[in-house]
Amino acid sequence: MSDPISRLDQFRANTPGAPMKSAAEVRRRGDQIRRRQRTLVAAGAVALAAVVAGPIIFLSAGFGDKAIEPQPAPAPSQTPSTVAPSPSASAPASDLTRANLPSEDDLVAEDPYPQWVLEQTYDGEGRGDHNECLPTLADSGALASFRRDFIAEAGQEYADSAGTLKAVVAEFGSADEAEKARAELSDAASSCTAVDGTEVAGSLPVEGGVVTGGDINVVTYPSEDPNTNAGWEVATAVVAVEDRLVVLTRRRGAQDYVSPTTLQTSAVNAAYRLVGSSPPPATASSSASSSSSSSASAPAAILNDAHLVVAGSLPGLPMEGESSAIWQQVAPQPTPTLYCQGAWLSSLKAAESVSREFRLENGGSQIGKVNVTVLEFAEKENADAAFDTVHGWLDACPASLDDAKLFTARPVESIQIGATPEVDRAAQALAEYAADCGGEGCDATWYDHQTVAQLGTRLVLATHAEAGGPCPPTRACPPEEASDYTEWDNRVAQTVEATVDRAFQDLP
């Protein structure tokens, strides 16, 4: 890393006191700079095989009604196969059609269950009962929507216990409105306040390909059948692609939680259909659910969670009267990996990507942020171009300067990283911006080191941000000697080195 004494001449004690923008405003800022794309990303996500993590006992009596008070739903159509569209579905501003719904081939069936097959397609949201945890998409501002229901192939073993899978696609007036709806629906899916007795079972991000943002939340609730030891499991994937959303709901009876990796792959495939593209062959359901020759030749995934840094490798922040504050991994956040990110990372067109985020709190206040994304590209030339793009983002900080009080302590510069294997090149920039003071003026500031590193076809993006103000998180306030920066610089370097070590561990 560069000599930290260079910051002494550039340090500003009069940090802006305006509050940092809220998460919703950050999402809007990202939407404003995101270019509308309807093209297929060059290489898509690879199908994920689900591993059954324990015995599963299923309800055999079907999916009867449960005594809950869901959101009001429109009355069912007299003709089940064609439900009349809602007024919003006929809005002339939308070009969404049934073709944007996922097909049977896009959906991955979890072993040992049979393949999903089409049951029914609706114009609009059908009867509004596709997910007991969610409000209707019309209530969320959708201009148009379509729905498709799937069941397990009849007559096959385990078909009766596989449950149901329902897909709803919707279009909104803007990418900003779609992201707002996605966040609200994801919150509703994770809490499921419309159903009594629900418990959170787990979650997974949905990333890669054309996906702008998305996640899967799984909740369970007790069965009303006193003769069964299983409960209901509802797994909800909510995925945004520009100004459109797809919601996949898998509902079944189960005793033990199994990570919904098959639904994760299905959601990525559905995202491609949402923008009028076909999923890449590697993500086709047939390659994950059968032993055909095509699946045998499908390329294996390169990136996985093993390439992401863990909380225990991150440096603790020294606190007065305490040894240190401890980092905690958090669910995917609806904000860019880098504060100065000029577009969503899907614009870099990586073949694969994995991400992880951490937060650090003290006394209920957030004092640290670490965001990490690892990107794998099909060719080194693509990785080279992506590195140059990110370098330009760090230099100009286009995503934040338009509506946030921000200043950069120094320009982006090349750095050395003490990691093995040695990286091809790396760059870093320090951005400083006002922290959230609850609507009141204060001198709290985020000091955010943003790093990009490349080795061959792989890139790592990392943020290490610490709260400070009126001084940076240095040993002395104000800092007077180069040694005052040493501990802070070492913490940043430890985060970057630990991140790069994990991301490049399998590369020569």
Side-chain angles (χ1 to χ4, degrees):
M1 298 183 65
S2 62
D3 185 353
I5 193 65
S6 63
R7 291 185 228 168
L8 289 173
D9 294 333
Q10 300 177 10
F11 171 70
R12 295 176 56 177
N14 58 339
T15 302
M20 188 172 65
K21 302 298 181 184
S22 67
E25 291 176 273
V26 172
R27 289 194 294 271
R28 282 195 290 274
R29 179 164 60 247
D31 289 328
Q32 288 169 356
I33 55 88
R34 187 165 62 237
R35 296 185 179 92
R36 181 181 178 91
Q37 297 187 110
R38 295 295 190 209
T39 57
L40 177 64
V41 170
V46 176
L48 301 174
V51 178
V52 178
I56 301 177
I57 302 176
F58 299 94
L59 302 176
S60 59
F63 295 122
D65 293 334
K66 180 172 176 62
I68 59 175
E69 295 183 4
Q71 294 288 335
S77 168
Q78 296 300 316
T79 305
S81 60
T82 307
V83 175
S86 64
S88 63
S90 60
S94 173
D95 57 356
L96 192 73
T97 71
R98 288 188 175 196
N100 298 116
L101 285 162
S103 68
E104 296 173 347
D105 292 337
D106 300 328
L107 304 178
V108 181
E110 185 173 277
D111 186 46
Y113 306 119
Q115 180 61 33
W116 296 107
V117 294
L118 175 63
E119 182 185 39
Q120 200 164 1
T121 299
Y122 304 84
D123 292 335
E125 294 179 68
R127 294 182 296 272
D129 60 351
H130 62 92
N131 188 305
E132 60 261 57
C133 299
L134 303 185
T136 65
L137 272 72
D139 289 341
S140 299
L143 300 176
S145 61
F146 296 88
R147 169 178 158 185
R148 183 165 284 166
D149 294 353
F150 300 87
I151 57 174
E153 186 176 359
Q156 300 296 317
E157 189 177 10
Y158 300 112
D160 291 340
S161 55
T164 60
L165 182 61
K166 301 177 182 180
V168 177
V169 297
E171 184 167 279
F172 293 78
S174 67
D176 174 60
E177 292 178 24
E179 173 54 26
K180 179 181 178 182
R182 188 203 66 78
E184 292 174 350
L185 292 170
S186 291
D187 288 344
S190 63
S191 59
C192 200
T193 55
V195 182
D196 293 331
T198 55
E199 294 184 0
V200 176
S203 64
L204 278 180
V206 178
E207 302 165 323
V210 296
V211 173
T212 298
D215 53 28
I216 299 171
N217 291 283
V218 184
V219 297
T220 61
Y221 58 86
S223 168
E224 292 182 329
D225 185 351
N227 298 317
T228 181
N229 59 351
W232 292 117
E233 179 192 79
V234 181
T236 307
V238 186
V239 179
V241 183
E242 302 296 342
D243 57 352
R244 293 180 174 181
L245 283 185
V246 58
V247 179
L248 297 183
T249 303
R250 188 189 68 196
R251 187 175 186 266
R252 65 183 184 182
Q255 182 184 29
D256 294 325
Y257 168 76
V258 176
S259 182
T261 53
T262 54
L263 188 62
Q264 189 182 47
T265 303
S266 298
V268 173
N269 292 343
Y272 280 90
R273 297 293 182 192
L274 194 60
V275 294
S277 299
S278 297
T283 65
S285 61
S286 58
S287 66
S289 59
S290 70
S291 56
S292 64
S293 58
S294 61
S295 66
S297 60
I302 296 175
L303 299 179
N304 54 52
D305 284 352
H307 293 94
L308 295 168
V309 68
V310 296
S313 299
L314 301 176
L317 269 62
M319 304 299 301
E320 185 176 353
E322 303 177 17
S323 58
S324 64
I326 306 302
W327 292 93
Q328 299 291 331
Q329 184 178 335
V330 297
Q333 305 294 299
T335 55
T337 298
L338 305 175
Y339 184 75
C340 291
Q341 195 169 303
W344 291 108
L345 297 184
S346 59
S347 67
L348 299 177
K349 300 188 177 181
E352 297 179 45
S353 68
V354 288
S355 300
R356 184 167 287 172
E357 301 179 48
F358 305 87
R359 297 294 182 266
L360 193 151
E361 293 187 355
N362 183 61
S365 298
Q366 194 174 104
I367 61 173
K369 297 184 288 188
V370 168
N371 303 332
V372 175
T373 295
V374 183
L375 303 163
E376 179 70 29
F377 293 84
E379 303 290 341
K380 185 177 183 299
E381 305 86 80
N382 304 125
D384 292 342
F387 181 96
D388 293 339
T389 297
V390 176
H391 191 285
W393 290 345
L394 298 184
D395 192 37
C397 206
S400 304
L401 284 174
D402 58 340
D403 61 349
K405 291 187 176 180
L406 173 146
F407 59 90
T408 303
R410 62 184 181 209
V412 61
E413 56 187 35
S414 298
I415 61 169
Q416 297 295 318
I417 299 176
T420 303
E422 185 177 348
V423 304
D424 293 338
R425 54 178 175 166
Q428 188 177 87
L430 172 64
E432 303 177 18
Y433 47 92
D436 185 0
C437 296
E440 299 179 0
C442 68
D443 54 15
T445 302
W446 281 108
Y447 296 84
D448 191 338
H449 283 87
Q450 304 163 94
T451 306
V452 55
Q454 180 185 4
L455 178 55
T457 57
R458 191 168 301 171
L459 256 63
V460 173
L461 309 182
T463 280
H464 177 112
E466 297 184 24
C471 296
T474 51
R475 179 182 298 176
C477 180
E480 297 178 350
E481 305 290 340
S483 60
D484 294 335
Y485 287 91
T486 301
E487 291 181 3
W488 182 24
D489 282 329
N490 287 343
R491 291 194 297 271
V492 175
Q494 182 178 334
T495 293
V496 173
E497 290 172 11
T499 298
V500 170
D501 275 338
R502 295 275 294 199
F504 296 158
Q505 60 181 319
D506 58 331
L507 298 181

